[in-house]
Amino acid sequence: AQSVTQPDIHITVSEGASLELRCNYSYGATPYLFWYVQSPGQGLQLLLKYFSGDTLVQGIKGFEAEFKRSQSSFNLRKPSVHWSDAAEYFCAVGALGGYQKVTFGTGTKLQVIP
Amino acid sequence: SAVISQKPSRDICQRGTSLTIQCQVDSQVTMMFWYRQQPGQSLTLIATANQGSEATYESGFVIDKFPISRPNLTFSTLTVSNMSPEDSSIYLCSAGTGERLEAFFGQGTRLTVV
């Protein structure tokens, strides 16, 4: 069965600092990986996805993520965080070849301080 | 991308009653799904809404408690039946199309059962 681990429940960064949110997955085949963001009281918005090709994926809002098969990781990064980035971030894994039972991690709550 | 509208956005309901949540997509989609997000938790897939046939439920979720309809390719409903306080959650509809798809999410319905 597929699974996703987000080891950091909360992260606090200063505005303008760089950010890296960790995500490790477990899946027997080539995974289909996502990062979503959820602002307070909102639904989920897709930041980026990976299913093949270049392992460094660019997303919206200046985010990027790197797929590392050897480490079973798909960490999310941003070079300079803005106060509006404060939200909860979810990593998710699905089966390549179809949208089948996408599994979400437990989320990382990001706080941005001035 | 698909735009998903959910109604109602929030509701407070008495225990023992039922609530039907509507999900409307602005374009035809292959797949529609319903998720539950309990307070402080990640997303758990309830079921896949199949057009013209019975929904496919995940382990721990049953049709009697969460009946789902999907009469066409752009609309689905989820009913939370005989509610108890434990059903207080955010319920999210998602939809997607194509083999390598990303899921688009509605804003969610925040349900409080008292």
Side-chain angles (χ1 to χ4, degrees):
Chain A
Q2 61 207 46
S3 66
V4 177
T5 301
Q6 293 180 249
D8 303 306
I9 298 174
H10 286 99
I11 283 185
T12 300
V13 300
S14 299
E15 190 168 16
S18 63
L19 172 70
E20 181 167 28
L21 302 183
R22 296 183 291 165
C23 172
N24 291 96
Y25 69 90
S26 172
Y27 185 65
T30 302
Y32 189 17
L33 296 159
F34 311 78
W35 274 100
Y36 288 89
V37 60
Q38 185 178 37
S39 298
Q42 302 296 309
L44 274 75
Q45 182 181 23
L46 178 71
L47 286 175
L48 47 80
K49 66 183 186 291
Y50 169 82
F51 51 80
S52 67
D54 193 346
T55 57
L56 184 62
V57 180
Q58 300 298 320
I60 62 171
K61 304 185 179 186
F63 285 93
E64 67 177 26
E66 186 170 12
F67 171 59
K68 293 185 177 179
R69 184 188 300 275
S70 61
Q71 298 177 20
S72 297
S73 69
F74 189 56
N75 295 347
L76 182 71
R77 300 194 294 250
K78 187 169 185 178
S80 178
V81 170
H82 188 263
W83 64 266
S84 61
D85 293 324
E88 189 152 21
Y89 293 80
F90 292 95
C91 180
V93 61
L96 185 65
Y99 188 90
Q100 298 176 20
K101 298 184 182 180
V102 170
T103 300
F104 284 81
T106 50
T108 298
K109 192 163 289 188
L110 173 65
Q111 181 182 9
V112 180
I113 57 177
Chain B
S1 64
V3 177
I4 300 175
S5 302
Q6 266 187 251
K7 290 194 294 187
S9 58
R10 60 178 63 230
D11 207 342
I12 301 174
C13 300
Q14 296 291 321
R15 67 178 68 199
T17 63
S18 298
L19 175 72
T20 295
I21 303 167
Q22 297 180 3
C23 178
Q24 179 74 55
V25 189
D26 69 344
S27 58
Q28 292 188 347
V29 291
T30 308
M31 312 292 285
M32 292 185 75
F33 305 86
W34 288 97
Y35 286 83
R36 181 175 71 182
Q37 186 179 23
Q38 294 177 300
Q41 304 294 315
S42 186
L43 282 77
T44 301
L45 181 63
I46 297 171
T48 303
N50 301 309
Q51 194 236 339
S53 64
E54 193 172 285
T56 304
Y57 289 84
E58 296 301 305
S59 175
F61 297 97
V62 294
I63 187 172
D64 290 346
K65 177 67 176 176
F66 297 103
I68 287 170
S69 77
R70 189 178 172 193
N72 56 50
L73 291 175
T74 63
F75 186 78
S76 177
T77 66
L78 168 74
T79 299
V80 186
S81 303
N82 189 24
M83 289 184 284
S84 67
E86 292 70 35
D87 294 319
S88 297
S89 293
I90 298 173
Y91 292 86
L92 295 120
C93 170
S94 80
T97 192
E99 184 178 285
R100 296 173 175 173
L101 57 83
E102 63 266 26
F104 300 99
F105 283 83
Q107 295 297 92
T109 296
R110 186 179 295 272
L111 170 63
T112 303
V113 183
V114 297

